[in-house]
Amino acid sequence: MEAWELPVCLNLYLSKLNLVKGLDNLNEHQIIKEYFSDVGSAYLAEHGIRVSVGDDAAVLSPPKGKESVISVDTSIEGVHFLKAMNASDIAYRSVSVALSDLAACGATPSWFTLALSLEDYDPIWLSGFRRGLEDISSELKIPLIGGDTTKGNLSITVQVGGYVEKGKALTRKGAKVGDLIYLTGTIGEASSALESIKKDNLVDLKKSRYLRPKIRFGVSNKLKGIASSAIDVSDGLFQDLNHICTASKVGANVYLEKIPTFLSKSLSSEEMNKGDDYEILFTSDKTNKEKIEGISKQEKIPICEIGLIIKGYEVQIITPEGDFLKASSGFQHF
Ligand code: ADP
Ligand code: MG
């Protein structure tokens, strides 16, 4: 017998049953309980968070002598991640890229929230997504303290919060003529991983630099009082350096051959400017050279000197032959 042949009241009864029990119809509150409660709840107390997911709002006490640092980032399919990626990598990456802004400020991360818009209820996808949230949460020992869950095109907004000693936050403003320009890690690996993901539609561990960016909290924490300005490299090395120049009202000379690329590949200036690197780009007075070398050794992260802050207002790229290149624009959102 087909459903339409059943009496109307029985049909209504069955659909109601399905609404409660059927996995297709879990309501928003059940989804929140199942997938977003207790992510990193073991770390709530140590971050002074008294009320978290499940109440109207989170309640937290900031540590004495510190300032709050807050940032938010939205990740959209096809722009910030690809459908071919595992839900766990999508979750990890969305939180990680948001945290990168805290590292750029020299802040220690403390919590995150998640505003999620989902196309439908897919328990397998959501379980994977929760695993990715748990991975980053336990790696950095930070809890998920709230959010919002709605139906719509897949969109992931992550807000992150952390703390920094009063007055010590690193900003884009503060680079001075004569300062050296430094970069952590290497450039180009994530954008080349992204290209191969797009090409072969395979998502494997070798592409982890794109899938699961590691944020340089160890280094950035030690740069307070040493860096005169800092930014994270998200939209492209030269574009992000340009942000420092604009905010600090200075110019920059960068030397192409000094820029550390992954596996020492020879990349064009366009390829170096593709973004997604999530390294820290900073400036510092010449007298801090040894301290910076020390931080690099302690944290086991290469930190390379790539240029010099000069008078002016723009970024100039200098080739090994001594020619000047104008920086191409990096990733453009619009
Ligand atoms: P309200 O209607 O009061 O805004 P919600 O039903 O939206 O409450 O959320 C209930 C609780 O679940 C809140 O504590 C909220 O922060 C949390 N929450 C909702 N969605 C998410 C999510 N995607 N991740 C984490 N917490 C969430
Ligand atoms: Mg809400």
Side-chain angles (χ1 to χ4, degrees), residues 263-283:
L263 303 176
S264 304
K265 285 201 176 173
S266 112
L267 299 179
S268 68
S269 63
E270 283 80 14
E271 286 166 323
M272 290 178 185
N273 206 21
K274 286 197 167 160
D276 285 328
D277 305 292
Y278 298 103
E279 296 294 352
I280 306 280
L281 176 68
F282 65 96
T283 58

Side-chain angles (χ1 to χ4, degrees), residues 192-252:
S192 112
L194 173 61
E195 254 148 55
S196 61
I197 293 170
K198 279 182 179 165
K199 207 167 65 207
D200 58 21
N201 221 23
L202 272 181
V203 184
D204 62 43
L205 271 181
K206 276 193 243 108
K207 291 150 190 158
S208 68
R209 183 71 189 269
Y210 179 79
L211 301 173
R212 295 196 168 214
K214 299 286 177 242
I215 305 306
R216 306 296 191 199
F217 280 110
V219 172
S220 75
N221 188 36
K222 294 194 163 90
L223 288 178
K224 285 171 286 186
I226 291 179
S228 51
S229 72
I231 192 168
D232 60 319
V233 181
S234 54
D235 290 341
L237 176 62
F238 306 122
Q239 180 166 332
D240 290 319
L241 179 55
N242 195 49
H243 292 319
I244 286 188
C245 290
T246 306
S248 302
K249 299 194 172 71
V250 292

Side-chain angles (χ1 to χ4, degrees), residues 28 32 56 147-150:
E28 171 206 346
I32 294 167
D56 290 314
D148 197 27
T149 307
T150 51

